[in-house]
Amino acid sequence: MLASYLTLAAILFCVGLYGVLAKRNTVVVLLSIELMLNAANVNLVAFSKYGVVPSLSGHMFALFSIAVGAAEAAVGIAILIMLYRARGTVNVDDYDELRG
Amino acid sequence: MGNVELTGEFVAFFVFAVMIISGSVFMISLTKVVHMVLSLLAAFIGVAGLFILLEAEFLAFVQVLIYAGAVAILMIFGIMMTKHQEEEKATTKRAWQEGLAAVGALALFGLLFFAIRSSELAPAQSFEAGEDNALEIGKLLFTNYVIPFELVSVLLTVAFIGSIVLAKKEAE
């Protein structure tokens, strides 16, 4: 059963990775990052039930990662709104100020 | 996985897996951003279902509250405050980038799948997450994990103040 959970989390992570790399809309990139965080959480909880040393530590790690993910989403949306005010676009290709 | 017996857990896992994968794939393939958020909501709720299957009831509720509730609403607010009318123009450079991203993601999945298949995973042990999952997590949170807990509360406060300062309209 553990292998099924790990495979599902791998699929979820790869879909999120494709979204981050290929999508050009900043909101969609943020959503894909949340997807990847969720894949990591599924892995943590699966190992905390089916791992070599099953314990509640995986639950705690997933809990902290959810909290950090929520903080990341809030700051990300705030930065997105500020960038949108300054540039008038949500396309990540247009945010190229720091390109050398 | 050659001899899969059709237990209730397997059927529930299959249903939630279909929900998660279809939600995330629709998130990639849909064109309207609001529809993307809605399909991602399905994926988040599927992950909450998986947590219940894994006897992590407290985490399942946290998942529904934080991800399906707060993060999705936050994203919808972000969409409402920005404009998404512009068409995605298909250039050859973009097609190249998308192809490379797809190849990279597939290669990573192949690597992970090979690693999962070839590793000897420990046989399932009997593990009771406690009669009352939330009670056990609460006890751990205030004994072993007190310092991370306090750090996370500091982090949340900083993020909350920081996002207000960032998104505040500047005085002209």
Side-chain angles (χ1 to χ4, degrees):
Chain A
M1 208 60 207
L2 177 58
S4 324
Y5 283 104
L6 295 186
T7 313
L8 179 64
I11 292 173
L12 205 55
F13 188 87
C14 291
V15 172
L17 184 68
Y18 174 76
V20 169
L21 292 177
K23 288 288 167 180
R24 283 293 157 266
N25 189 321
T26 316
V27 176
V28 182
V29 171
L30 280 173
L31 287 176
S32 305
I33 294 174
E34 298 298 328
L35 212 58
M36 289 159 80
L37 280 169
N38 259 293
N41 287 344
V42 170
N43 262 7
L44 286 171
V45 179
F47 273 113
S48 105
K49 182 166 163 64
Y50 292 116
V52 180
V53 189
S55 71
L56 276 178
S57 303
H59 292 201
M60 306 304 301
F61 274 73
L63 204 57
F64 290 130
S65 120
I66 287 175
V68 172
E72 174 260 320
V75 176
I77 286 289
I79 291 174
L80 165 70
I81 288 172
M82 201 182 62
L83 272 173
Y84 180 74
R85 273 201 205 116
R87 309 293 303 267
T89 178
V90 287
N91 191 333
V92 281
D93 282 339
D94 295 336
Y95 302 147
D96 53 1
E97 235 95 294
L98 290 178
R99 180 176 285 173
Chain B
M1 275 242 306
N3 48 349
V4 174
E5 69 271 40
L6 212 62
T7 57
E9 191 194 3
F10 184 77
V11 173
F13 174 79
F14 188 76
V15 169
F16 286 130
V18 168
M19 196 169 160
I20 291 169
I21 294 174
S22 58
S24 53
V25 170
F26 274 127
M27 197 275 278
I28 294 296
S29 58
L30 286 174
T31 48
K32 282 210 167 131
V33 190
V34 179
H35 297 171
M36 288 176 173
V37 176
L38 288 181
S39 68
L40 196 71
L41 205 63
F44 285 161
I45 291 172
V47 171
L50 277 193
F51 285 168
I52 288 185
L53 273 187
L54 289 165
E55 293 176 19
E57 294 89 6
F58 181 69
L59 271 181
F61 285 114
V62 168
Q63 171 86 13
V64 171
L65 280 175
I66 307 283
Y67 275 113
V71 170
I73 296 295
L74 197 67
M75 292 295 173
I76 286 174
F77 266 95
I79 291 164
M80 275 162 47
M81 291 186 167
T82 52
K83 209 169 58 196
H84 297 272
Q85 258 75 48
E86 65 217 71
E87 285 291 306
E88 291 210 350
K89 43 195 178 294
T91 60
T92 45
K93 194 182 156 215
R94 263 185 52 75
W96 260 103
Q97 277 179 351
E98 283 190 12
L100 273 180
V103 168
L106 274 178
L108 180 68
F109 176 70
L111 193 70
L112 287 175
F113 189 72
F114 175 73
I116 292 166
R117 286 288 120 182
S118 60
S119 61
E120 280 180 30
L121 298 166
Q125 299 171 17
S126 61
F127 167 60
E128 293 302 318
E131 188 82 347
D132 194 345
N133 190 247
L135 179 72
E136 296 300 321
I137 285 182
K139 276 180 190 163
L140 266 182
L141 209 54
F142 284 103
T143 52
N144 288 2
Y145 293 92
V146 160
I147 293 170
F149 178 68
E150 297 297 334
L151 283 178
V152 161
S153 52
V154 170
L155 175 78
L156 281 177
T157 314
V158 168
F160 156 63
I161 295 170
S163 50
I164 289 175
V165 170
L166 277 177
K168 195 180 62 180
K169 264 212 165 66
E170 282 168 32
E172 297 292 319

